[in-house]
Structure formats: structure tokens, C-alpha cells
Amino acid sequence: MDFEQYIFPIYSGGTIVGQGFIADGYFITAAHVVKDFPSCLTWINGKRFKLSDAFIISPFFNKSDVYYNIKKEKFWNNPLSELKYIYIGIGNIYQDSTMMDIVMYPCNDIESLLHLSEHIPLNGEHLNSYCMNEGMDFSQLNPPCKLKIVPAIALGKEEGNYFYCDCEQYGGSSGSPLLMGNEVVGIMHGGNNNGLCAFLKVQKVRNFISQMELSLDFDSSDLDNAIDYEECKYSRDKKRLLKGSGDIIQQGTVVICNEAFCRDDFKGDLYGIASGNIIIPNSVKKIGEKAFAWSKKLESIMIPDSVVQLGKETFEGCTYLKRVILSNSITEIPEALFSWCQSLQEIIIPNSVTKIGEEAFENCDSLTYLIIPSSVKYIESLAFWECKSLERVVFLGIVSEIKDDVFDQCDTLSEIVIPAGTIDIYKELLSDYAELLIEDK
């Protein structure tokens, strides 16, 4: 396959000073190229893009070292329309191999056949590098550039975030991809022109992207740069719902952030604005704390199996929430998840759940019947406190620990059904409710 259309030379003063490439929705290059050549630029889809015109996020640079964008409105019209995040490192990796010499610019609107891989090449493995070589035409200013494939052989040597290959390398190679088929396995940091080249492990890059895309927190800069869609605000990579409204959540959303559907009233108290019947898209993986809390107009919600984490108090105070379908991938019903959901009539706890958190179902006044699956091993205190209509609870297995007052103020509770032969165990676990225990036949 021809991958050159996804690999771009970076210029400074008419000279090629590095390479960049597009993979998995990001334009990627080496950080030291941008730092050493502040005026560097490239062309993507025929449009000029100045790399230093970017908002930089960096744990490695001091503020005096970074190049903050002065006119932010400029870069929103660039082909990299989703430009926001950059992860950038500084230093000599031969002295500190824990640094990350990389810059990443989200560009979700540009598709590429290149993909980031977690593979770390083994000793003797043959790869292809698109780094610079002596045959490169430095005068060519219209990408895609005609690169020659340079063979690279993995040496099986690793140091920190980097591994080494036997590979030719000349000036202007930094930031170029090391490929295994269409998988990017390394990003060129540099070499000594004698066959020894250092490549950043793409595994480390993927880990960072995952953390960035799954962050449940956001700040004012996220909101300032957000995309507006149907009265909602999304991060510029479209993967994080920052502020929601009503019942619409865009397909492709990965994270619903903390307090996404919450607002502050004039007293500083939270109130929720989710409403109607919400179906969470199957692209969502995490839902943050208090994401839908105090949404008095929310009636039902369906959470797909793609969701692996729910934050505490996610549905707290949703007093008219009647029906919930939970993901079969969550392992915990977190603290106060359904606290004060007074209209919730029934809930199926998935077999994936191992823990029910403190006050998880506090004041669920309409809940009458409950099945605790055999997967549940821990139940925190006050988990079902003041469920005033709860009549029957069925345990399908043996719970390892049940904290105090779990069924306190459940005035209508008449029986707790437990597996046959477990009466002694549950008399100890539920000593305050021993008279309600009934062994299943």
C-alpha cells in the first residue's frame, strides 16, 4: 500500500526539518522539531499549517518554554479543524528515556489508513521507516512528498519509552513513522547516522490518548473551545460530552463527563436538565459523577454494555426516573447511584456487579422487589436505606461482606430469600434482619 499520502514533511525556511503523519485521528510529529523550529509548517490537503499556532498542554515544559497560540481563531480554520491537544516533551532521551518527544494535533475529519499499534518490535524484526534519506528532494514543497522506504531492523534493545533499530537516518527524519504494514509501531526521535536510531514506543502514545479521551473532568478552557451541537457542548475531538441538555447524546461520544447534565442555580445548588427517555450510544465507555443528578424530568435511561464505569451519584435525585437498563459490563453500583430516585419501580442488577456501594438505592420509595445476583460479594452500609415499599429481597449467592444498616427503615420488607444451606452465614451477615431470612427450597 502507498502510505505516503498520510506522511508530510515539515519545513522551516524552505528546508525540511522533520516529518509528521496522520493516524487514528491525530497529526503526530516529534516535539523537538516544533521547539527547535518555532516557525515550522507543513501542508495538509493543500493547506498551509503552522505547527506553533497551537494550544499546548505539557507536563514537561515550563511556561517560558512553550509556544502559546496568540490568535487562537486562526487555527480553527486550518485543515486540522479539531486542533486542541498537544502532548510535548523536551530533553535528550539518551539522558532521560522517560521523556515523551511527541506532539499530537487531533484531526478527526482526516481519514488515514495508518493506525497506532501497541506492538513493540522484537529483536531481528524487519520494519519499514519513512524517515529521510540522502535521495530526498529538499526543494519539493508540495506534499505528499516522494519518500523512499528505508528498511529498519529491530535490535531488541529498550530504554524507558524508547526502543532502537538499525536504520539509516539523516537530518529531517524526526517525527517520521516506523511501520509494520499499516501499523505505526514507533516514532523517530533521532539517530547517529551510523545505523542506530531511537524510536518512541507507540504503546506509550496510545496510553496517553486513552487517558486524554476518557477524562471525566473538564475545565473552562475545554468549554471555551467546545463544539456546540443540539444545545450540548462537546470537546473538540467530539468524544467527551461536557455539558448536555434534554435527551440527546451524539453517537461517537466516549465519555459523559462529571455533572454533564447539571447546572448551578442562583444559590449554587445543582439541578439537572436531562429529560424524557435517554438511550446512551454504544460508543460511550464511562459516565461521570452526578452526570444526570437531580434531573426531575428524566423518565428512563438505557445504558449499553459498552459502558464499563458509572460515577457516584450519577442519578441522584432523579425523582421521576422509573426505568433503568444497566450495562452488563459494570462491576460496581457506586455510592448513591440511585439515591432519592423515588419513582424507580424495578432494577435488574447485572451479573457483572461485585459491589453495591453506600446509599446506592437510598430512598428508592417505589422499589418493591430486588434480586441480588451471585456475583455480588460486597454491600456497603445503607445501600437500601429507607426503601419504603421494598417487600422482598432475593440473594442468589453468598455475599462475603454486608455492612451495617443495609435495610434500615425498609418498613414493608417481609422476607429475605437466601440460597439453601446458607442460613448460618446470613444470620451473621444480616443479624439485624435474621427474623426475615428464608432459605430457598
Side-chain angles (χ1 to χ4, degrees):
M1 290 187 180
D2 179 14
F3 300 123
E4 294 177 11
Q5 59 185 306
Y6 312 116
I7 304 171
F8 304 88
I10 297 172
Y11 301 94
S12 179
T15 299
I16 296 177
V17 295
Q19 305 289 324
F21 63 92
I22 293 177
D24 291 345
Y26 290 90
F27 178 85
I28 298 173
T29 186
H32 72 263
V33 173
V34 180
K35 181 180 185 300
D36 294 343
F37 302 94
S39 62
C40 66
L41 53 88
T42 190
W43 279 265
I44 297 177
N45 292 346
K47 295 183 179 180
R48 184 176 181 271
F49 173 58
K50 187 176 179 182
L51 296 180
S52 60
D53 279 351
F55 179 70
I56 295 178
I57 299 175
S58 170
F60 293 104
F61 276 129
N62 295 319
K63 288 187 176 180
S64 59
D65 294 324
V66 298
Y67 304 98
Y68 284 102
N69 171 55
I70 304 301
K71 297 181 180 179
K72 292 184 179 180
E73 68 275 7
K74 287 174 56 180
F75 63 71
W76 300 124
N77 296 320
N78 271 291
L80 301 182
S81 59
E82 306 307 321
L83 181 60
K84 171 155 191 316
Y85 294 103
I86 299 176
Y87 188 62
I88 190 165
I90 185 173
N92 186 329
I93 65 108
Y94 300 102
Q95 298 172 357
D96 181 7
S97 62
T98 64
M99 64 163 286
M100 293 274 285
D101 184 21
I102 186 173
V103 181
M104 300 189 301
Y105 304 80
C107 51
N108 292 299
D109 294 339
I110 304 175
E111 294 186 2
S112 171
L113 293 179
L114 298 180
H115 297 288
L116 302 175
S117 170
E118 292 191 359
H119 177 70
I120 297 176
L122 304 174
N123 185 32
E125 196 163 4
H126 287 252
L127 308 152
N128 291 320
S129 173
Y130 277 81
C131 62
M132 297 282 290
N133 58 65
E134 288 180 307
M136 185 66 190
D137 181 3
F138 279 78
S139 66
Q140 186 174 352
L141 296 178
N142 293 309
C145 56
K146 298 298 182 182
L147 298 173
K148 294 182 179 179
I149 298 174
V150 178
I153 300 175
L155 299 177
K157 179 183 178 183
E158 299 179 32
E159 289 182 2
N161 293 332
Y162 295 82
F163 63 84
Y164 294 88
C165 288
D166 184 358
C167 174
E168 290 187 11
Q169 179 268 343
Y170 295 89
S173 297
S174 297
S176 58
L178 183 66
L179 300 181
M180 183 176 63
N182 70 330
E183 300 290 317
V184 181
V185 298
I187 301 167
M188 171 71 78
H189 170 78
N192 58 10
N193 289 348
N194 293 317
L196 181 66
C197 293
F199 292 88
L200 176 64
K201 298 174 183 176
V202 173
Q203 178 190 74
K204 301 293 184 178
V205 179
R206 281 176 57 90
N207 289 344
F208 173 76
I209 291 175
S210 177
Q211 293 173 15
M212 183 173 65
E213 291 179 346
L214 292 177
S215 174
L216 292 166
D217 293 320
F218 62 91
D219 56 26
S220 58
S221 66
D222 290 294
L223 291 174
D224 290 342
N225 296 309
I227 295 173
D228 292 321
Y229 178 78
E230 295 190 351
E231 300 182 5
C232 300
K233 289 186 177 293
Y234 291 85
S235 60
R236 295 205 68 85
D237 60 11
K238 301 177 183 177
K239 294 182 178 181
R240 298 165 65 230
L241 175 57
L242 308 176
K243 284 296 180 183
S245 179
D247 62 354
I248 301 297
I249 299 173
Q250 186 177 351
Q251 179 65 40
T253 302
V254 177
V255 163
I256 299 173
C257 289
N258 298 332
E259 301 183 9
F261 285 82
C262 285
R263 302 294 187 270
D264 291 330
D265 64 16
F266 66 95
K267 294 180 180 179
D269 297 326
L270 286 179
Y271 68 96
I273 60 172
S275 62
N277 305 296
I278 295 179
I279 298 176
I280 304 291
N282 59 12
S283 56
V284 174
K285 295 182 180 180
K286 295 168 69 175
I287 300 176
E289 297 179 4
K290 297 185 178 180
F292 299 92
W294 302 103
S295 292
K296 305 269 176 113
K297 294 182 179 181
L298 180 62
E299 297 178 13
S300 73
I301 190 161
M302 181 181 297
I303 302 172
D305 292 347
S306 60
V307 174
V308 297
Q309 179 181 330
L310 295 172
K312 66 181 182 180
E313 304 172 16
T314 299
F315 303 105
E316 181 182 30
C318 294
T319 52
Y320 288 96
L321 180 63
K322 296 178 181 178
R323 185 168 182 265
V324 176
I325 296 178
L326 288 172
S327 164
N328 287 305
S329 300
I330 61 172
T331 59
E332 179 180 355
I333 306 292
E335 177 184 338
L337 182 67
F338 296 108
S339 178
W340 291 93
C341 290
Q342 295 169 317
S343 299
L344 186 63
Q345 297 174 350
E346 65 174 303
I347 188 76
I348 297 176
I349 299 175
N351 290 322
S352 56
V353 171
T354 61
K355 179 181 178 181
I356 298 175
E358 184 175 353
E359 301 176 355
F361 295 91
E362 173 194 14
N363 283 105
C364 288
D365 292 347
S366 300
L367 198 61
T368 61
Y369 179 75
L370 190 68
I371 297 178
I372 311 292
S374 58
S375 58
V376 173
K377 300 303 177 186
Y378 304 95
I379 302 178
E380 297 292 334
S381 60
L382 303 172
F384 304 97
W385 184 75
E386 208 167 354
C387 290
K388 296 177 181 178
S389 300
L390 187 62
E391 298 175 0
R392 191 169 191 256
V393 177
V394 177
F395 285 87
L396 297 182
I398 300 175
V399 179
S400 301
E401 183 179 3
I402 300 178
K403 294 290 183 66
D404 297 336
D405 306 325
V406 66
F407 294 115
D408 267 20
Q409 305 299 317
C410 295
D411 298 334
T412 60
L413 184 61
S414 59
E415 59 181 31
I416 301 173
V417 181
I418 58 176
T422 65
I423 188 69
D424 291 337
I425 295 173
Y426 274 95
K427 278 185 176 180
E428 185 174 345
L429 289 170
L430 294 170
S431 58
D432 291 340
Y433 317 99
E435 71 280 3
L436 303 180
L437 296 174
I438 299 173
E439 284 192 283
D440 193 18
K441 296 179 180 179

